[in-house]
Amino acid sequence: MRPHTRAALLASILILLAISVAISLQKTVEQERVWQAARLERSPQFLHSERMQVAAAQAALDALALAVAPSNLQLQADYRSQRMQLRSDWMGMEHLAERDPQRQGLLLEIRSSLADFLLALDQMATSTAPVSANDSTHRNDSAHLLLALHRVETALSNDSGSLEQSAARSAAQPTTAWFRSVWISLVLLFLVCAALVAALEHTLRRNTR
């Protein structure tokens, strides 16, 4: 076999192997992203954070409505339900993350912002004074509640982002290991192909003598 023919054959083999590896890697990365998103959505810690964000927003709306209509029984029931949801999910989140040193700072901020938010809720929802457009106390309570809501929502969003980053790092480790093993296998396979081509060339030379 001529040298340029052998080089062309080896180059073709290498190109085909590289293309197959690239396609396989792309499919693996896409599938890993799907699995990562599914694992994160089923994560109890992530679910606690998501439910707390929804409950906090709903509780704030209920508290603002109760300041105008304090005798509305449906609002009162929903307000109590949202507060119970907040406390329940917070206890679950704190229990799951108590051994995670990387999330302790986030938990401290959530605990502090949640305490301020619950206080602002009570100040707004339990106010019995008549509400008017010129009531400065009502406006101050509303502003405090909205600021407290923004703070707790931001703290919970930061916690969710931290969980997403942790899931991404965990998913990247097996993908990286797989990528390395594939390229090692590719190199070994290329060497085997080169050896087979050399053996074939040697056999052809012997047969032509």
Side-chain angles (χ1 to χ4, degrees):
M1 184 179 294
R2 295 179 180 180
H4 68 275
T5 303
R6 179 176 57 188
L9 180 59
L10 290 174
S12 300
I13 293 173
L14 182 60
I15 291 173
L16 290 175
L17 290 174
I19 291 174
S20 64
V21 169
I23 294 174
S24 178
L25 178 62
Q26 181 181 4
K27 291 182 178 180
T28 301
V29 171
E30 291 176 356
Q31 186 63 44
E32 187 62 35
R33 288 175 180 172
V34 174
W35 290 341
Q36 172 191 335
R39 286 197 302 267
L40 185 60
E41 290 175 357
R42 292 193 300 267
S43 168
Q45 297 179 0
F46 189 80
L47 291 175
H48 283 313
S49 181
E50 290 292 299
R51 285 196 296 261
M52 286 184 70
Q53 292 182 60
V54 175
Q58 186 60 50
L61 291 176
D62 289 341
L64 290 170
L66 284 171
V68 178
S71 60
N72 190 310
L73 298 180
Q74 184 176 357
L75 282 175
Q76 293 176 8
D78 189 67
Y79 174 74
R80 290 192 296 269
S81 175
Q82 301 304 328
R83 281 183 59 93
M84 290 177 61
Q85 185 71 53
L86 279 170
R87 292 185 179 278
S88 175
D89 279 306
W90 165 244
M91 291 175 63
M93 177 189 295
E94 192 174 33
H95 175 71
L96 289 172
E98 62 183 359
R99 297 183 180 180
D100 188 351
Q102 297 180 351
R103 295 181 62 205
Q104 295 309 307
L106 293 170
L107 289 178
L108 287 175
E109 173 58 19
I110 294 174
R111 182 186 295 113
S112 176
S113 62
L114 182 60
D116 184 44
F117 176 67
L118 292 176
L119 178 61
L121 280 177
D122 287 338
Q123 290 175 345
M124 176 60 64
T126 60
S127 176
T128 57
V131 175
S132 65
N134 298 322
D135 191 344
S136 60
T137 301
H138 174 71
R139 292 198 300 271
N140 289 337
D141 288 344
S142 300
H144 182 202
L145 176 61
L146 294 177
L147 288 174
L149 174 63
H150 175 71
R151 182 187 173 191
V152 74
E153 292 280 2
T154 300
L156 291 168
S157 296
N158 290 338
D159 184 69
S160 298
S162 175
L163 292 173
E164 291 175 351
Q165 292 176 0
S166 298
R169 286 194 297 268
S170 299
Q173 292 178 357
T175 302
T176 303
W178 177 89
F179 182 76
R180 291 175 180 175
S181 65
V182 165
W183 278 107
I184 292 174
S185 301
L186 177 62
V187 171
L188 293 176
L189 184 58
F190 178 74
L191 293 176
V192 170
C193 291
L196 290 175
V197 171
L200 178 61
E201 182 181 1
H202 179 68
T203 302
L204 291 175
R205 286 178 179 177
R206 289 181 58 185
N207 293 334
T208 55
R209 290 179 183 177

